[in-house]
Amino acid sequence: MSQATKVDASVGARNRAIILTAAEKAFAAQGFKGTSVQQVADQAGLPKTNVLYYFKTKQELYLAVLKETMTLWNSSFDRATVNDDPAEMLADYIAEKMELSRTNPLASKIFAMEIINGAPNLNNYFDEEHSEWMEGRVSIINSWISSGKMQPIDPHYLLFNIWASTQHYADFSIQITRLRGAKMKKADFAEATKHLVTLTLNGCGLDVPEKYRIETR
Amino acid sequence: MSQATKVDASVGARNRAIILTAAEKAFAAQGFKGTSVQQVADQAGLPKTNVLYYFKTKQELYLAVLKETMTLWNSSFDRATVNDDPAEMLADYIAEKMELSRTNPLASKIFAMEIINGAPNLNNYFDEEHSEWMEGRVSIINSWISSGKMQPIDPHYLLFNIWASTQHYADFSIQITRLRGAKMKKADFAEATKHLVTLTLNGCGLDVPEKYRIETR
DNA sequence: TGGCACTATGACTGAATAGTCAGGTTTGAC
DNA sequence: GTCAAACCTGACTATTCAGTCATAGTGCCA
């Protein structure tokens, strides 16, 4: 790669990143239709045409944002095996998902709206990969159950429950803030995580690992 | 009320209802910005101007839909008292919320998008009423705890968890359908409800009432 | 110096769409 | 029959907005 290309690319890469950040914010706050390219441009501090220079269409920009979002979804639970301890794996998974809700609420919101609106931009590839992931996780949880490591429960419902309850803290943050009277801080998330882990693990008849135990005053 | 008014009103009422149903569908699928008055009109089988005759602006139509949605939110849990059995009350509340997700998924989706987008159309009145409701429920759960009827847990997190996990079946129905390979039917909802009740009540150290127990094969 | 690739942008266009308006019809009461 | 109120609608307007285009600047290298 020539020096020229390198430098030019770095300008491009920086602008792309700026635009993606601005777009994420706008799309999360107003959805795809509700966001204008002009708004993204303003947020990014660039002329609209410059945004369209990097991303030919609004759709392409949105897809780029969505794709970046997806890369966040990976977790240690992807690599769980039959030999792992269910309590620890599930607790860590919940904690990871909560940390994502805390640090990347916009990504969660965009994903949520995409699904609510019928997932028109998630292709078959995503569907298949997601289904495979699900199948794998279901079978591992089932083997934990059949080896007596945890109470019988349909793993599908368990996983849905974990997603729902963790993503809720990102997607419904406004409601939560208004009901609590204050925004959730890092410490509040830590507390909420313990509660979620406790609820879920007790729910499956598992012991809560030390570090997730709620201190009773 | 004169006969004329009655008849006229009934035409009006019928059309209003048709329009609201069409609008609910459209708003749930595409959000406020993504829905055009023309689309609602087509869905309702009426000319656009006729829709705007009944609802002066798109915003007014949306607010009417949102308001109808809110009337669904009431539940038996609103009237829980310290003397009630927490296991039964919570189980019934979860079951009611699940039934709402099954029968009124569109309402749930519209509400979810409204919150995700920062609740720009929910007024102070809603906020205050909602906060009061929350305070009341929290204090009842806390008295259940202090009278030893259930394990100590922060009622806020418990309620958030119930909302999240039940509404998930409405809001994320597309994802659930794709992952399961088939749409959730009434029987599947019954099964999911039992799982949710079991997870949640076990989570709080409560016995699951007979009717919600999962049959182990 | 000239050439190339990339970056940048103001001016414009065409389509979509919320909302208006003016005039029309229906319905029931008297 | 006639009046009023409610209902209905085609034609139009004003605005917003995605995307195009023609032109220009920048930085490197041969």
Side-chain angles (χ1 to χ4, degrees):
Chain A
M1 198 193 288
S2 72
Q3 187 60 24
T5 317
K6 230 191 219 159
V7 170
D8 288 348
S10 89
V11 171
R14 210 185 68 244
N15 280 342
R16 260 170 232 275
I18 290 170
I19 293 166
L20 283 173
T21 304
E24 188 187 28
K25 199 166 170 179
F27 285 135
Q30 327 185 68
F32 177 75
K33 280 273 195 169
T35 299
S36 71
V37 178
Q38 187 66 62
Q39 277 169 37
V40 175
D42 290 349
Q43 180 83 44
L46 296 168
K48 186 183 73 157
T49 29
N50 204 358
V51 171
L52 287 168
Y53 167 71
Y54 285 106
F55 301 91
K56 287 196 217 326
T57 65
K58 186 166 91 159
Q59 170 94 354
E60 190 179 313
L61 174 56
Y62 176 74
L63 286 174
V65 172
L66 201 58
K67 199 173 168 187
E68 269 217 335
T69 293
M70 296 308 171
T71 65
L72 299 169
W73 263 221
N74 299 323
S75 93
S76 63
F77 192 58
D78 304 351
R79 295 177 295 282
T81 71
V82 191
N83 301 317
D84 286 316
D85 174 36
E88 207 164 311
M89 293 307 290
L90 289 172
D92 287 347
Y93 183 45
I94 292 167
E96 278 175 33
K97 295 281 300 174
M98 280 298 273
E99 185 63 6
L100 261 188
S101 280
R102 188 178 74 82
T103 57
N104 289 73
L106 299 181
S108 184
K109 284 178 182 178
I110 289 169
F111 183 74
M113 283 200 280
E114 175 68 18
I115 300 288
I116 291 176
N117 290 338
N121 295 291
L122 294 177
N123 51 27
N124 285 343
Y125 175 71
F126 170 78
D127 268 14
E128 278 170 33
E129 219 184 30
H130 201 191
S131 290
E132 273 171 35
W133 183 92
M134 186 84 178
E135 263 180 63
R137 299 314 97 194
V138 164
S139 92
I140 283 168
I141 296 174
N142 273 331
S143 31
W144 284 337
I145 291 170
S146 53
S147 67
K149 284 183 176 174
M150 59 184 283
Q151 298 295 315
I153 187 172
D154 186 326
H156 296 89
Y157 296 125
L158 174 58
L159 288 172
F160 293 157
N161 198 47
I162 290 174
W163 296 341
S165 51
T166 53
Q167 288 166 15
H168 187 78
Y169 287 89
D171 303 341
F172 288 69
S173 57
I174 280 104
Q175 188 187 28
I176 292 173
T177 298
R178 292 195 188 168
L179 284 173
R180 290 171 27 102
K183 208 159 170 259
M184 300 253 304
K185 293 190 194 304
K186 200 172 175 183
D188 300 313
F189 266 93
E191 199 58 31
T193 300
K194 285 183 185 176
H195 274 83
L196 272 192
V197 169
T198 302
L199 267 169
T200 311
L201 265 55
N202 281 349
C204 316
L206 289 166
D207 283 337
V208 178
E210 184 65 42
K211 66 191 264 209
Y212 295 111
R213 251 170 240 163
I214 299 163
E215 288 122 50
T216 38
R217 284 142 295 163
Chain B
M1 197 192 291
S2 72
Q3 187 62 25
T5 318
K6 230 192 221 160
V7 170
D8 288 349
S10 89
V11 171
R14 211 184 68 244
N15 279 342
R16 262 171 230 276
I18 290 170
I19 293 167
L20 283 173
T21 304
E24 189 188 27
K25 200 166 168 179
F27 286 135
Q30 326 184 69
F32 177 74
K33 280 274 193 166
T35 298
S36 71
V37 178
Q38 187 64 61
Q39 278 170 37
V40 175
D42 290 348
Q43 179 82 44
L46 296 168
K48 187 183 72 157
T49 26
N50 204 357
V51 172
L52 287 167
Y53 167 71
Y54 286 106
F55 301 92
K56 287 196 216 325
T57 65
K58 188 167 90 158
Q59 170 94 352
E60 188 179 315
L61 174 56
Y62 176 75
L63 286 175
V65 171
L66 201 59
K67 198 173 171 188
E68 270 220 334
T69 293
M70 296 308 173
T71 64
L72 299 168
W73 263 221
N74 298 324
S75 94
S76 64
F77 192 59
D78 303 352
R79 295 176 295 283
T81 71
V82 192
N83 302 317
D84 287 315
D85 174 37
E88 208 164 310
M89 293 308 290
L90 289 171
D92 287 347
Y93 183 46
I94 291 168
E96 277 175 33
K97 294 282 299 174
M98 279 298 272
E99 186 63 7
L100 260 189
S101 280
R102 188 179 74 81
T103 56
N104 288 73
L106 298 181
S108 184
K109 285 178 183 180
I110 289 169
F111 183 75
M113 283 201 281
E114 176 68 17
I115 299 287
I116 290 176
N117 291 337
N121 295 290
L122 295 178
N123 50 26
N124 285 344
Y125 176 70
F126 170 79
D127 268 14
E128 277 169 35
E129 219 183 32
H130 200 189
S131 290
E132 273 171 35
W133 183 93
M134 186 84 177
E135 263 180 63
R137 298 316 97 193
V138 165
S139 93
I140 284 168
I141 295 174
N142 273 332
S143 31
W144 283 337
I145 291 170
S146 54
S147 68
K149 284 184 176 175
M150 59 185 283
Q151 299 294 314
I153 187 173
D154 186 326
H156 296 88
Y157 296 125
L158 174 59
L159 288 173
F160 293 156
N161 198 46
I162 290 174
W163 296 342
S165 52
T166 54
Q167 288 166 15
H168 188 77
Y169 286 90
D171 303 341
F172 287 70
S173 58
I174 279 103
Q175 188 187 30
I176 291 173
T177 299
R178 291 194 188 169
L179 284 174
R180 291 171 26 102
K183 207 159 171 259
M184 299 254 305
K185 292 190 197 304
K186 199 171 175 184
D188 300 313
F189 266 93
E191 198 60 29
T193 300
K194 286 183 184 176
H195 274 83
L196 272 192
V197 170
T198 302
L199 267 169
T200 311
L201 266 57
N202 280 349
C204 315
L206 290 165
D207 283 337
V208 178
E210 185 65 43
K211 66 190 265 209
Y212 294 111
R213 251 170 238 163
I214 300 164
E215 288 123 48
T216 40
R217 282 142 293 164

